[in-house]
Amino acid sequence: MNKATLKRSISLPILFLYGLGTMVGGSFYALSGKVARMAGIAAPISFLIAGILAFLNVFTFSELSSRYKGLK
């Protein structure tokens, strides 16, 4: 009897983009109205800063997960 196995096909760039899209997409749709009301004319700058912070967070988690992958 031949047992079927799954092939791991998630690479670091795909994992990075998935995390970035999830975090930025969720926060953008959930909080854009509140941020615009609080920040006023500086709303685009606040979104830029939030995007940079999200990028750093996603990069950190993707690097961590790639290191765990090598520990098999």
Side-chain angles (χ1 to χ4, degrees):
M1 214 172 185
N2 196 2
K3 193 172 189 179
T5 60
L6 297 175
K7 178 183 171 187
R8 292 185 180 201
S9 61
I10 297 177
S11 62
L12 182 61
I14 298 298
L15 188 62
F16 174 81
L17 292 174
Y18 176 77
L20 182 66
T22 302
M23 290 180 3
V24 173
S27 63
F28 182 77
Y29 290 118
L31 299 174
S32 60
K34 289 183 180 181
V35 169
R37 184 177 63 228
M38 292 175 67
I41 193 124
I45 295 169
S46 64
F47 281 118
L48 178 66
I49 293 170
I52 292 169
L53 292 175
F55 173 79
L56 294 173
N57 193 12
V58 168
F59 184 74
T60 302
F61 279 110
S62 63
E63 182 67 28
L64 179 65
S65 66
S66 72
R67 290 178 189 259
Y68 278 126
K69 182 180 176 184
L71 293 178
K72 294 187 209 180

